[in-house]
């Protein structure tokens, strides 16, 4: 199977898994291959001229659920849909994908959810260094909107 077919298959499987997780209330798949998810996101983002959000978190994390909810509704939901491909990357119980977080400059010791923003070609634009969203449950929605507006791709 060639690389394009593998990426397309990965996207299809990823969408199916995402739909199943959404139905179950799960955001993060502990069994997903984060590097394949990122490769598929780069393919999609380069085609659609969007930036990429690597969302490091865990299903047991209430702040991760709070951020996910914010990203799906209102003004922020529109911004995300229009400008970003989101890749939820599970950190499990602090035991998976830690190397991926390090690779993208995200110090998970500062808390989750933690994000990295990539351009449509996979170049790192920003990584959270201070756990800025680790208290997402208490944050004002306008703070999320301002953050994502800052990282929208220039059109």
């Amino acid at each position: 199977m060639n690389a394009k077919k593998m990426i397309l298959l990965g996207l299809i499987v990823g969408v199916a898994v995402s739909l199943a997780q959404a139905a179950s209330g799960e955001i993060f798949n502990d069994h997903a291959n984060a590097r394949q998810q990122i490769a598929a996101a780069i393919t999609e983002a380069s085609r659609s001229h969007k930036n990429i959000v690597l969302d490091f978190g865990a299903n047991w994390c209430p702040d991760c659920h709070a951020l996910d909810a914010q990203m799906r509704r209102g003004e922020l939901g529109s911004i995300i849909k229009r400008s970003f491909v989101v890749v939820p990357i599970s950190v499990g119980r602090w035991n998976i994908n830690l190397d991926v977080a390090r690779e993208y400059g995200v110090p998970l010791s500062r808390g989750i959810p933690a994000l990295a923003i990539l351009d449509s070609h996979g170049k790192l634009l920003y990584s959270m260094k201070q756990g800025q969203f680790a208290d997402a449950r208490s944050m004002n929605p306008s703070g999320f909107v301002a953050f994502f507006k800052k990282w929208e791709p220039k059109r």
Side-chain angles (χ1 to χ4, degrees), residues 68-80:
D68 183 69
Q70 288 293 327
M71 290 170 51
R72 294 178 187 277
R73 65 175 172 243
E75 181 182 6
L76 182 56
S78 297
I79 292 168
I80 296 294

Side-chain angles (χ1 to χ4, degrees), residues 15-54:
V15 168
V17 168
S18 294
L19 291 173
Q21 287 174 317
S24 70
E26 289 188 350
I27 302 164
F28 304 94
N29 179 350
D30 292 347
H31 305 289
N33 182 315
R35 294 187 195 292
Q36 284 180 350
Q37 289 179 291
I38 294 167
I42 292 169
T43 299
E44 171 60 24
S46 62
R47 182 178 32 236
S48 59
H49 307 289
K50 295 180 178 183
N51 282 348
I52 301 163
V53 178
L54 303 182

Side-chain angles (χ1 to χ4, degrees), residues 1-17 36-44 47:
M1 189 178 301
N2 70 30
K4 280 188 176 181
K5 286 183 180 177
M6 286 181 63
I7 290 172
L8 182 58
L9 180 60
L11 280 171
I12 292 168
V13 169
V15 168
V17 168
Q36 284 180 350
Q37 289 179 291
I38 294 167
I42 292 169
T43 299
E44 171 60 24
R47 182 178 32 236

Side-chain angles (χ1 to χ4, degrees), residues 3 16 19 66 97 106 109-110 126 139 152:
L19 291 173
N97 295 316
V106 177
S109 62
R110 300 289 187 159
Y126 172 82
M139 291 179 64
E152 282 186 288

